[in-house]
Amino acid sequence: MEKAEKMHIALADDDLEDRELFRDAIEELGLDVELSLFSNGDELLDYLHDAHDKKRPHILFLDLNMLCSKYDDCLSEIRRHSKFKDLSIAIYSTSSAENDIHKTFVGGANIYIKKPNDFEVLKQSLHEVLKINWQFHTSGLDKSTFLFRI
Amino acid sequence: MKKTYIKYDVNRACQVILQEQLEELGIAYETQELGEVIIQKNVPMALFLTLRNNLQRYGIDVLNDQKGQLIQRIKNTIIEMVGRDKLPTSKISCYLAERLQMNYNYISAVFSEYTHSSIENYIILQKIERAKKLLLQELSLTEVSCLLSYSSVAHLSGQFKKVTGLSPSVFKKIINERKKNAHTN
């Protein structure tokens, strides 16, 4: 049954305050989810590589400027591996420049979220993102053309 | 007035209610461990729903993968419907009720309970998924809106934007650029 599968969310953000806000927002949504937090891209990539298929998150929230010491950027590094092709990547950014958004989507992101300043708006946006991502996951929809901007 | 104390065994009470309800409806059963019943023959959906309703009065909920199966049947019916060249002309709620031989309110309630989404939203999502495929096959917006029974191109574009946050043309541009990059890399 669809309810039985627990949603697994990961966030990589180097800003402690942003990580805490994100965690609070997810907690306040009251969803039954497993949340993994990472403070840098290397930690995140090690985790993704070590996790088995079933253990990998359903969705990964990534700060736009998240750097990995070993690679140019996290997004393209993750998208280089075909074993991560079903992992939804949501880029989380303060930029609303069309050029950034376009480049991010072309680079393999599924979701682009403009970091809101208001906590309630953040909660609402996260809820929307999780809902649509869960639909894609449980209905086996085509992730290669899954794009969502909020 | 005199206060009387009662002592009760909840497990036993539930067991008896369950047995009585099953017997009343003439459903052949075998009780197993606590909370497990094997129903011996295929029970028609209507009868099963009566059982479920009757038990709910006692706070007993039937947990059954039949619901999971029903969700799948609803989804399959919608996907099949959206995949056709012409969408049904009857109202979608009537169409689904007829195809699944079930009350639409029930179908809709089960769907919302288990998928965190409504049937209406699911249909929209599936239509936009088909629209994406058609757009990438170089069909024009007019052709796509006609195939998916939208009243106008504006209606299709509006719904596309609502589901993806992008206009159909921006969506197409991104996917095509990705493809181009994949070829050159």
Side-chain angles (χ1 to χ4, degrees):
Chain A
M1 240 182 263
E2 305 199 5
K3 258 189 181 171
E5 194 181 359
K6 197 171 181 169
M7 196 192 295
H8 183 184
I9 303 169
L11 166 76
D13 195 319
D14 52 8
D15 188 300
L16 174 66
E17 205 177 306
D18 279 354
R19 282 201 303 277
E20 282 176 354
L21 266 178
F22 185 91
R23 194 190 50 215
D24 291 348
I26 296 285
E27 269 171 19
E28 281 194 24
L29 284 176
L31 304 167
D32 183 25
V33 299
E34 187 184 333
L35 179 63
S36 310
L37 300 172
F38 302 92
S39 56
N40 67 66
D42 296 329
E43 248 179 53
L44 169 75
L45 274 155
D46 288 345
Y47 172 81
L48 289 178
H49 278 294
D50 288 344
H52 292 292
D53 286 353
K54 296 272 172 219
K55 284 280 176 194
R56 267 184 219 126
H58 294 107
I59 182 165
L60 165 66
F61 292 85
L62 204 60
D63 186 89
L64 177 64
N65 303 313
M66 192 82 234
L67 299 171
C68 304
S69 61
K70 300 175 209 158
Y71 318 102
D72 285 348
D73 75 290
C74 266
L75 176 62
S76 53
E77 176 52 27
I78 295 169
R79 283 297 179 234
R80 218 166 52 80
H81 299 274
S82 63
K83 65 175 175 180
F84 300 144
K85 69 175 174 8
D86 285 329
L87 172 67
S88 299
I89 302 181
I91 295 292
Y92 194 62
S93 163
T94 46
S95 162
S96 56
E98 290 299 326
N99 195 27
D100 281 339
I101 298 172
H102 190 82
K103 254 172 49 193
T104 307
F105 276 131
V106 173
N110 302 102
I111 301 152
Y112 192 96
I113 308 167
K114 164 92 176 68
K115 266 187 202 179
N117 293 322
D118 181 278
F119 184 68
E120 285 306 312
V121 180
L122 170 67
K123 261 168 63 181
Q124 193 56 40
S125 305
L126 289 180
H127 197 198
E128 286 298 313
V129 167
L130 295 178
K131 260 193 336 205
I132 191 155
N133 189 59
W134 200 238
Q135 282 295 344
F136 265 79
H137 173 66
T138 55
S139 298
L141 300 178
D142 185 358
K143 285 276 179 76
S144 72
T145 54
F146 173 30
L147 302 182
F148 182 56
R149 175 188 175 180
I150 190 165
Chain B
M1 285 245 265
K2 188 171 163 267
K3 202 184 246 178
T4 314
Y5 290 91
I6 49 168
K7 175 178 176 287
Y8 50 78
D9 180 344
V10 178
N11 290 338
R12 169 126 189 83
C14 288
Q15 194 84 2
V16 172
I17 292 169
L18 190 59
Q19 287 176 359
E20 282 176 358
Q21 291 297 324
L22 284 159
E23 273 159 19
E24 197 189 312
L25 295 171
I27 300 173
Y29 70 95
E30 203 184 299
T31 48
Q32 297 284 105
E33 307 267 301
L34 196 64
E36 247 183 63
V37 176
I38 292 185
I39 292 178
Q40 287 170 333
K41 277 191 203 128
N42 263 347
V43 176
M45 199 51 159
L47 193 59
F48 188 81
L49 294 180
T50 313
L51 173 69
R52 187 173 165 262
N53 282 338
N54 291 354
L55 289 172
Q56 261 175 356
R57 280 189 290 140
Y58 300 99
I60 301 174
D61 208 354
V62 178
L63 301 176
N64 188 302
D65 199 46
Q66 220 150 344
K67 271 192 186 169
Q69 286 169 21
L70 174 58
I71 303 285
Q72 206 47 54
R73 279 179 62 205
I74 300 171
K75 286 187 172 178
N76 293 346
T77 310
I78 293 172
I79 292 169
E80 192 251 347
M81 176 185 87
V82 173
R84 287 198 209 159
D85 279 345
K86 206 75 198 155
L87 263 63
T89 42
S90 57
K91 267 187 82 175
I92 286 174
S93 55
C94 298
Y95 174 80
L96 286 177
E98 197 183 302
R99 284 288 310 270
L100 296 161
Q101 289 290 301
M102 258 178 259
N103 176 299
Y104 182 74
N105 290 339
Y106 175 72
I107 303 173
S108 159
V110 173
F111 195 88
S112 302
E113 186 187 343
Y114 276 79
T115 64
H116 305 293
S117 166
S118 65
I119 287 196
E120 287 76 12
N121 279 335
Y122 189 76
I123 293 172
I124 292 174
L125 185 68
Q126 286 293 348
K127 283 176 82 174
I128 297 303
E129 279 308 290
R130 176 124 195 263
K132 287 180 184 174
K133 296 210 162 62
L134 296 170
L135 283 170
L136 294 172
Q137 287 165 15
E138 300 303 326
L139 264 74
S140 72
L141 270 178
T142 314
E143 288 168 314
V144 176
S145 73
C146 186
L147 269 173
L148 291 172
S149 302
Y150 281 97
S151 55
S152 64
V153 168
H155 185 202
L156 165 65
S157 295
Q159 215 163 61
F160 195 98
K161 179 105 197 202
K162 212 171 149 214
V163 173
T164 64
L166 304 166
S167 70
S169 59
V170 167
F171 167 83
K172 215 171 126 176
K173 202 168 158 220
I174 291 168
I175 299 296
N176 286 337
E177 263 182 59
R178 272 192 192 172
K179 282 184 190 155
K180 216 171 73 193
N181 291 348
H183 284 303
T184 49
N185 285 341

